[in-house]
mmCIF file with all atom_site columns, all heavy atoms in Angstrom:
data_model
loop_
_atom_site.group_PDB
_atom_site.id
_atom_site.type_symbol
_atom_site.label_atom_id
_atom_site.label_alt_id
_atom_site.label_comp_id
_atom_site.label_asym_id
_atom_site.label_entity_id
_atom_site.label_seq_id
_atom_site.pdbx_PDB_ins_code
_atom_site.Cartn_x
_atom_site.Cartn_y
_atom_site.Cartn_z
_atom_site.occupancy
_atom_site.B_iso_or_equiv
_atom_site.pdbx_formal_charge
_atom_site.auth_seq_id
_atom_site.auth_comp_id
_atom_site.auth_asym_id
_atom_site.auth_atom_id
_atom_site.pdbx_PDB_model_num
ATOM 1   N N   . VAL T 1 152 ? 90.196  60.285 198.420 1.00 87.00 ? 158 VAL T N   1
ATOM 2   C CA  . VAL T 1 152 ? 91.581  59.984 198.853 1.00 87.00 ? 158 VAL T CA  1
ATOM 3   C C   . VAL T 1 152 ? 91.774  58.493 199.098 1.00 87.00 ? 158 VAL T C   1
ATOM 4   O O   . VAL T 1 152 ? 92.765  57.865 198.705 1.00 87.00 ? 158 VAL T O   1
ATOM 5   C CB  . VAL T 1 152 ? 91.986  60.804 200.103 1.00 87.00 ? 158 VAL T CB  1
ATOM 6   C CG1 . VAL T 1 152 ? 93.247  60.271 200.717 1.00 87.00 ? 158 VAL T CG1 1
ATOM 7   C CG2 . VAL T 1 152 ? 92.082  62.238 199.736 1.00 87.00 ? 158 VAL T CG2 1
ATOM 8   N N   . ALA T 1 155 ? 92.131  56.762 195.885 1.00 88.00 ? 161 ALA T N   1
ATOM 9   C CA  . ALA T 1 155 ? 93.476  57.033 195.342 1.00 88.00 ? 161 ALA T CA  1
ATOM 10  C C   . ALA T 1 155 ? 94.499  56.111 196.020 1.00 88.00 ? 161 ALA T C   1
ATOM 11  O O   . ALA T 1 155 ? 95.378  55.531 195.371 1.00 88.00 ? 161 ALA T O   1
ATOM 12  C CB  . ALA T 1 155 ? 93.877  58.458 195.519 1.00 88.00 ? 161 ALA T CB  1
ATOM 13  N N   . ARG T 1 156 ? 94.388  55.958 197.313 1.00 86.00 ? 162 ARG T N   1
ATOM 14  C CA  . ARG T 1 156 ? 95.363  55.131 198.041 1.00 86.00 ? 162 ARG T CA  1
ATOM 15  C C   . ARG T 1 156 ? 95.290  53.678 197.568 1.00 86.00 ? 162 ARG T C   1
ATOM 16  O O   . ARG T 1 156 ? 96.303  53.005 197.482 1.00 86.00 ? 162 ARG T O   1
ATOM 17  C CB  . ARG T 1 156 ? 95.073  55.174 199.561 1.00 86.00 ? 162 ARG T CB  1
ATOM 18  C CG  . ARG T 1 156 ? 95.702  56.354 200.251 1.00 86.00 ? 162 ARG T CG  1
ATOM 19  C CD  . ARG T 1 156 ? 95.192  56.431 201.676 1.00 86.00 ? 162 ARG T CD  1
ATOM 20  N NE  . ARG T 1 156 ? 95.621  57.676 202.257 1.00 86.00 ? 162 ARG T NE  1
ATOM 21  C CZ  . ARG T 1 156 ? 96.698  57.777 203.074 1.00 86.00 ? 162 ARG T CZ  1
ATOM 22  N NH1 . ARG T 1 156 ? 97.402  56.692 203.312 1.00 86.00 ? 162 ARG T NH1 1
ATOM 23  N NH2 . ARG T 1 156 ? 97.028  58.907 203.620 1.00 86.00 ? 162 ARG T NH2 1
ATOM 24  N N   . LEU T 1 159 ? 97.272  53.177 194.388 1.00 84.00 ? 165 LEU T N   1
ATOM 25  C CA  . LEU T 1 159 ? 98.676  53.529 194.373 1.00 84.00 ? 165 LEU T CA  1
ATOM 26  C C   . LEU T 1 159 ? 99.583  52.366 193.957 1.00 84.00 ? 165 LEU T C   1
ATOM 27  O O   . LEU T 1 159 ? 100.676 52.531 193.519 1.00 84.00 ? 165 LEU T O   1
ATOM 28  C CB  . LEU T 1 159 ? 99.114  53.971 195.729 1.00 84.00 ? 165 LEU T CB  1
ATOM 29  C CG  . LEU T 1 159 ? 98.875  55.462 196.026 1.00 84.00 ? 165 LEU T CG  1
ATOM 30  C CD1 . LEU T 1 159 ? 99.256  55.807 197.452 1.00 84.00 ? 165 LEU T CD1 1
ATOM 31  C CD2 . LEU T 1 159 ? 99.677  56.308 195.094 1.00 84.00 ? 165 LEU T CD2 1
ATOM 32  N N   . ASN T 1 169 ? 98.875  60.192 189.098 1.00 91.00 ? 175 ASN T N   1
ATOM 33  C CA  . ASN T 1 169 ? 97.634  60.909 189.246 1.00 91.00 ? 175 ASN T CA  1
ATOM 34  C C   . ASN T 1 169 ? 97.055  60.696 190.661 1.00 91.00 ? 175 ASN T C   1
ATOM 35  O O   . ASN T 1 169 ? 96.444  61.604 191.227 1.00 91.00 ? 175 ASN T O   1
ATOM 36  C CB  . ASN T 1 169 ? 96.605  60.484 188.162 1.00 91.00 ? 175 ASN T CB  1
ATOM 37  C CG  . ASN T 1 169 ? 96.847  61.233 186.888 1.00 91.00 ? 175 ASN T CG  1
ATOM 38  O OD1 . ASN T 1 169 ? 97.398  62.348 186.921 1.00 91.00 ? 175 ASN T OD1 1
ATOM 39  N ND2 . ASN T 1 169 ? 96.431  60.647 185.792 1.00 91.00 ? 175 ASN T ND2 1
ATOM 40  N N   . CYS T 1 170 ? 97.216  59.483 191.172 1.00 91.00 ? 176 CYS T N   1
ATOM 41  C CA  . CYS T 1 170 ? 96.721  59.229 192.547 1.00 91.00 ? 176 CYS T CA  1
ATOM 42  C C   . CYS T 1 170 ? 97.495  60.192 193.510 1.00 91.00 ? 176 CYS T C   1
ATOM 43  O O   . CYS T 1 170 ? 96.898  60.768 194.413 1.00 91.00 ? 176 CYS T O   1
ATOM 44  C CB  . CYS T 1 170 ? 97.007  57.787 192.956 1.00 91.00 ? 176 CYS T CB  1
ATOM 45  S SG  . CYS T 1 170 ? 95.857  56.643 192.151 1.00 91.00 ? 176 CYS T SG  1
ATOM 46  N N   . LEU T 1 171 ? 98.785  60.241 193.356 1.00 91.00 ? 177 LEU T N   1
ATOM 47  C CA  . LEU T 1 171 ? 99.565  61.074 194.238 1.00 91.00 ? 177 LEU T CA  1
ATOM 48  C C   . LEU T 1 171 ? 99.143  62.528 194.151 1.00 91.00 ? 177 LEU T C   1
ATOM 49  O O   . LEU T 1 171 ? 98.986  63.196 195.166 1.00 91.00 ? 177 LEU T O   1
ATOM 50  C CB  . LEU T 1 171 ? 101.068 60.992 193.878 1.00 91.00 ? 177 LEU T CB  1
ATOM 51  C CG  . LEU T 1 171 ? 101.719 59.648 194.254 1.00 91.00 ? 177 LEU T CG  1
ATOM 52  C CD1 . LEU T 1 171 ? 103.099 59.538 193.693 1.00 91.00 ? 177 LEU T CD1 1
ATOM 53  C CD2 . LEU T 1 171 ? 101.709 59.444 195.756 1.00 91.00 ? 177 LEU T CD2 1
ATOM 54  N N   . ARG T 1 172 ? 98.877  62.924 192.886 1.00 90.00 ? 178 ARG T N   1
ATOM 55  C CA  . ARG T 1 172 ? 98.422  64.279 192.738 1.00 90.00 ? 178 ARG T CA  1
ATOM 56  C C   . ARG T 1 172 ? 97.080  64.523 193.429 1.00 90.00 ? 178 ARG T C   1
ATOM 57  O O   . ARG T 1 172 ? 96.931  65.538 194.100 1.00 90.00 ? 178 ARG T O   1
ATOM 58  C CB  . ARG T 1 172 ? 98.295  64.543 191.212 1.00 90.00 ? 178 ARG T CB  1
ATOM 59  C CG  . ARG T 1 172 ? 98.611  65.987 190.851 1.00 90.00 ? 178 ARG T CG  1
ATOM 60  C CD  . ARG T 1 172 ? 98.818  66.066 189.367 1.00 90.00 ? 178 ARG T CD  1
ATOM 61  N NE  . ARG T 1 172 ? 100.042 65.500 188.881 1.00 90.00 ? 178 ARG T NE  1
ATOM 62  C CZ  . ARG T 1 172 ? 100.263 64.946 187.677 1.00 90.00 ? 178 ARG T CZ  1
ATOM 63  N NH1 . ARG T 1 172 ? 99.244  64.914 186.814 1.00 90.00 ? 178 ARG T NH1 1
ATOM 64  N NH2 . ARG T 1 172 ? 101.403 64.447 187.350 1.00 90.00 ? 178 ARG T NH2 1
ATOM 65  N N   . LEU T 1 173 ? 96.220  63.555 193.329 1.00 90.00 ? 179 LEU T N   1
ATOM 66  C CA  . LEU T 1 173 ? 94.899  63.697 193.991 1.00 90.00 ? 179 LEU T CA  1
ATOM 67  C C   . LEU T 1 173 ? 95.104  63.834 195.477 1.00 90.00 ? 179 LEU T C   1
ATOM 68  O O   . LEU T 1 173 ? 94.488  64.631 196.161 1.00 90.00 ? 179 LEU T O   1
ATOM 69  C CB  . LEU T 1 173 ? 94.017  62.476 193.639 1.00 90.00 ? 179 LEU T CB  1
ATOM 70  C CG  . LEU T 1 173 ? 92.558  62.579 194.153 1.00 90.00 ? 179 LEU T CG  1
ATOM 71  C CD1 . LEU T 1 173 ? 91.662  61.962 193.073 1.00 90.00 ? 179 LEU T CD1 1
ATOM 72  C CD2 . LEU T 1 173 ? 92.359  61.883 195.453 1.00 90.00 ? 179 LEU T CD2 1
ATOM 73  N N   . ILE T 1 174 ? 95.948  62.948 196.037 1.00 88.00 ? 180 ILE T N   1
ATOM 74  C CA  . ILE T 1 174 ? 96.195  63.011 197.467 1.00 88.00 ? 180 ILE T CA  1
ATOM 75  C C   . ILE T 1 174 ? 96.722  64.396 197.847 1.00 88.00 ? 180 ILE T C   1
ATOM 76  O O   . ILE T 1 174 ? 96.308  64.993 198.844 1.00 88.00 ? 180 ILE T O   1
ATOM 77  C CB  . ILE T 1 174 ? 97.105  61.884 197.893 1.00 88.00 ? 180 ILE T CB  1
ATOM 78  C CG1 . ILE T 1 174 ? 96.378  60.547 197.690 1.00 88.00 ? 180 ILE T CG1 1
ATOM 79  C CG2 . ILE T 1 174 ? 97.577  62.059 199.317 1.00 88.00 ? 180 ILE T CG2 1
ATOM 80  C CD1 . ILE T 1 174 ? 97.278  59.325 197.870 1.00 88.00 ? 180 ILE T CD1 1
ATOM 81  N N   . GLY T 1 175 ? 97.640  64.864 197.057 1.00 88.00 ? 181 GLY T N   1
ATOM 82  C CA  . GLY T 1 175 ? 98.197  66.221 197.303 1.00 88.00 ? 181 GLY T CA  1
ATOM 83  C C   . GLY T 1 175 ? 97.159  67.273 197.336 1.00 88.00 ? 181 GLY T C   1
ATOM 84  O O   . GLY T 1 175 ? 97.185  68.208 198.142 1.00 88.00 ? 181 GLY T O   1
ATOM 85  N N   . CYS T 1 176 ? 96.195  67.164 196.438 1.00 87.00 ? 182 CYS T N   1
ATOM 86  C CA  . CYS T 1 176 ? 95.199  68.205 196.305 1.00 87.00 ? 182 CYS T CA  1
ATOM 87  C C   . CYS T 1 176 ? 94.075  68.127 197.280 1.00 87.00 ? 182 CYS T C   1
ATOM 88  O O   . CYS T 1 176 ? 93.486  69.093 197.616 1.00 87.00 ? 182 CYS T O   1
ATOM 89  C CB  . CYS T 1 176 ? 94.630  68.239 194.898 1.00 87.00 ? 182 CYS T CB  1
ATOM 90  S SG  . CYS T 1 176 ? 95.803  68.721 193.655 1.00 87.00 ? 182 CYS T SG  1
ATOM 91  N N   . LEU T 1 177 ? 93.775  66.854 197.661 1.00 85.00 ? 183 LEU T N   1
ATOM 92  C CA  . LEU T 1 177 ? 92.472  66.693 198.412 1.00 85.00 ? 183 LEU T CA  1
ATOM 93  C C   . LEU T 1 177 ? 92.693  66.168 199.829 1.00 85.00 ? 183 LEU T C   1
ATOM 94  O O   . LEU T 1 177 ? 91.708  66.186 200.609 1.00 85.00 ? 183 LEU T O   1
ATOM 95  C CB  . LEU T 1 177 ? 91.558  65.778 197.635 1.00 85.00 ? 183 LEU T CB  1
ATOM 96  C CG  . LEU T 1 177 ? 91.118  66.232 196.269 1.00 85.00 ? 183 LEU T CG  1
ATOM 97  C CD1 . LEU T 1 177 ? 90.229  65.241 195.618 1.00 85.00 ? 183 LEU T CD1 1
ATOM 98  C CD2 . LEU T 1 177 ? 90.425  67.567 196.348 1.00 85.00 ? 183 LEU T CD2 1
ATOM 99  N N   . GLU T 1 178 ? 93.862  65.687 200.153 1.00 81.00 ? 184 GLU T N   1
ATOM 100 C CA  . GLU T 1 178 ? 94.081  65.188 201.522 1.00 81.00 ? 184 GLU T CA  1
ATOM 101 C C   . GLU T 1 178 ? 93.669  66.298 202.507 1.00 81.00 ? 184 GLU T C   1
ATOM 102 O O   . GLU T 1 178 ? 94.109  67.457 202.342 1.00 81.00 ? 184 GLU T O   1
ATOM 103 C CB  . GLU T 1 178 ? 95.515  64.793 201.685 1.00 81.00 ? 184 GLU T CB  1
ATOM 104 C CG  . GLU T 1 178 ? 95.922  64.411 203.088 1.00 81.00 ? 184 GLU T CG  1
ATOM 105 C CD  . GLU T 1 178 ? 95.415  63.004 203.506 1.00 81.00 ? 184 GLU T CD  1
ATOM 106 O OE1 . GLU T 1 178 ? 95.317  62.156 202.617 1.00 81.00 ? 184 GLU T OE1 1
ATOM 107 O OE2 . GLU T 1 178 ? 95.044  62.856 204.709 1.00 81.00 ? 184 GLU T OE2 1
ATOM 108 N N   . SER T 1 179 ? 92.861  65.930 203.477 1.00 74.00 ? 185 SER T N   1
ATOM 109 C CA  . SER T 1 179 ? 92.339  67.024 204.256 1.00 74.00 ? 185 SER T CA  1
ATOM 110 C C   . SER T 1 179 ? 93.408  67.695 205.120 1.00 74.00 ? 185 SER T C   1
ATOM 111 O O   . SER T 1 179 ? 94.411  66.992 205.476 1.00 74.00 ? 185 SER T O   1
ATOM 112 C CB  . SER T 1 179 ? 91.236  66.480 205.193 1.00 74.00 ? 185 SER T CB  1
ATOM 113 O OG  . SER T 1 179 ? 91.843  65.990 206.393 1.00 74.00 ? 185 SER T OG  1
ATOM 114 N N   . THR T 1 192 ? 100.522 60.214 205.919 1.00 83.00 ? 198 THR T N   1
ATOM 115 C CA  . THR T 1 192 ? 100.440 60.617 204.560 1.00 83.00 ? 198 THR T CA  1
ATOM 116 C C   . THR T 1 192 ? 101.804 60.912 204.005 1.00 83.00 ? 198 THR T C   1
ATOM 117 O O   . THR T 1 192 ? 102.214 60.589 202.928 1.00 83.00 ? 198 THR T O   1
ATOM 118 C CB  . THR T 1 192 ? 99.549  61.868 204.452 1.00 83.00 ? 198 THR T CB  1
ATOM 119 O OG1 . THR T 1 192 ? 98.373  61.629 205.224 1.00 83.00 ? 198 THR T OG1 1
ATOM 120 C CG2 . THR T 1 192 ? 99.212  62.115 202.993 1.00 83.00 ? 198 THR T CG2 1
ATOM 121 N N   . MET T 1 195 ? 103.847 57.983 203.455 1.00 84.00 ? 201 MET T N   1
ATOM 122 C CA  . MET T 1 195 ? 103.432 57.293 202.230 1.00 84.00 ? 201 MET T CA  1
ATOM 123 C C   . MET T 1 195 ? 103.973 57.995 200.964 1.00 84.00 ? 201 MET T C   1
ATOM 124 O O   . MET T 1 195 ? 104.501 57.345 200.098 1.00 84.00 ? 201 MET T O   1
ATOM 125 C CB  . MET T 1 195 ? 101.897 57.336 202.205 1.00 84.00 ? 201 MET T CB  1
ATOM 126 C CG  . MET T 1 195 ? 101.216 56.448 201.201 1.00 84.00 ? 201 MET T CG  1
ATOM 127 S SD  . MET T 1 195 ? 101.069 57.329 199.696 1.00 84.00 ? 201 MET T SD  1
ATOM 128 C CE  . MET T 1 195 ? 99.897  58.613 200.218 1.00 84.00 ? 201 MET T CE  1
ATOM 129 N N   . LEU T 1 196 ? 103.880 59.362 200.987 1.00 86.00 ? 202 LEU T N   1
ATOM 130 C CA  . LEU T 1 196 ? 104.420 60.081 199.842 1.00 86.00 ? 202 LEU T CA  1
ATOM 131 C C   . LEU T 1 196 ? 105.937 59.810 199.745 1.00 86.00 ? 202 LEU T C   1
ATOM 132 O O   . LEU T 1 196 ? 106.482 59.667 198.649 1.00 86.00 ? 202 LEU T O   1
ATOM 133 C CB  . LEU T 1 196 ? 104.157 61.557 200.006 1.00 86.00 ? 202 LEU T CB  1
ATOM 134 C CG  . LEU T 1 196 ? 102.704 61.987 199.796 1.00 86.00 ? 202 LEU T CG  1
ATOM 135 C CD1 . LEU T 1 196 ? 102.549 63.469 200.118 1.00 86.00 ? 202 LEU T CD1 1
ATOM 136 C CD2 . LEU T 1 196 ? 102.212 61.670 198.425 1.00 86.00 ? 202 LEU T CD2 1
ATOM 137 N N   . ALA T 1 214 ? 103.053 66.596 195.221 1.00 92.00 ? 220 ALA T N   1
ATOM 138 C CA  . ALA T 1 214 ? 101.950 66.372 196.143 1.00 92.00 ? 220 ALA T CA  1
ATOM 139 C C   . ALA T 1 214 ? 102.309 66.884 197.535 1.00 92.00 ? 220 ALA T C   1
ATOM 140 O O   . ALA T 1 214 ? 101.491 67.550 198.244 1.00 92.00 ? 220 ALA T O   1
ATOM 141 C CB  . ALA T 1 214 ? 101.571 64.886 196.224 1.00 92.00 ? 220 ALA T CB  1
ATOM 142 N N   . LEU T 1 218 ? 100.445 69.823 199.600 1.00 89.00 ? 224 LEU T N   1
ATOM 143 C CA  . LEU T 1 218 ? 99.984  69.706 200.964 1.00 89.00 ? 224 LEU T CA  1
ATOM 144 C C   . LEU T 1 218 ? 100.463 70.868 201.774 1.00 89.00 ? 224 LEU T C   1
ATOM 145 O O   . LEU T 1 218 ? 99.717  71.502 202.523 1.00 89.00 ? 224 LEU T O   1
ATOM 146 C CB  . LEU T 1 218 ? 100.478 68.417 201.566 1.00 89.00 ? 224 LEU T CB  1
ATOM 147 C CG  . LEU T 1 218 ? 99.726  67.141 201.201 1.00 89.00 ? 224 LEU T CG  1
ATOM 148 C CD1 . LEU T 1 218 ? 100.363 65.970 201.946 1.00 89.00 ? 224 LEU T CD1 1
ATOM 149 C CD2 . LEU T 1 218 ? 98.258  67.284 201.643 1.00 89.00 ? 224 LEU T CD2 1
ATOM 150 N N   . ARG T 1 221 ? 98.618  73.934 201.075 1.00 85.00 ? 227 ARG T N   1
ATOM 151 C CA  . ARG T 1 221 ? 97.253  73.919 201.581 1.00 85.00 ? 227 ARG T CA  1
ATOM 152 C C   . ARG T 1 221 ? 97.228  73.979 203.127 1.00 85.00 ? 227 ARG T C   1
ATOM 153 O O   . ARG T 1 221 ? 96.189  73.801 203.750 1.00 85.00 ? 227 ARG T O   1
ATOM 154 C CB  . ARG T 1 221 ? 96.502  72.713 201.107 1.00 85.00 ? 227 ARG T CB  1
ATOM 155 C CG  . ARG T 1 221 ? 96.308  72.786 199.608 1.00 85.00 ? 227 ARG T CG  1
ATOM 156 C CD  . ARG T 1 221 ? 95.665  71.520 199.067 1.00 85.00 ? 227 ARG T CD  1
ATOM 157 N NE  . ARG T 1 221 ? 94.383  71.236 199.729 1.00 85.00 ? 227 ARG T NE  1
ATOM 158 C CZ  . ARG T 1 221 ? 94.146  70.082 200.309 1.00 85.00 ? 227 ARG T CZ  1
ATOM 159 N NH1 . ARG T 1 221 ? 95.046  69.134 200.285 1.00 85.00 ? 227 ARG T NH1 1
ATOM 160 N NH2 . ARG T 1 221 ? 92.993  69.883 200.909 1.00 85.00 ? 227 ARG T NH2 1
#
Side-chain angles (χ1 to χ4, degrees):
Chain T
V158 168
R162 276 171 189 262
L165 275 176
N175 277 335
C176 286
L177 289 172
R178 213 166 286 149
L179 187 142
I180 292 171
C182 292
L183 300 179
E184 174 73 34
S185 85
T198 313
M201 191 273 295
L202 290 176
L224 281 180
R227 294 176 55 236

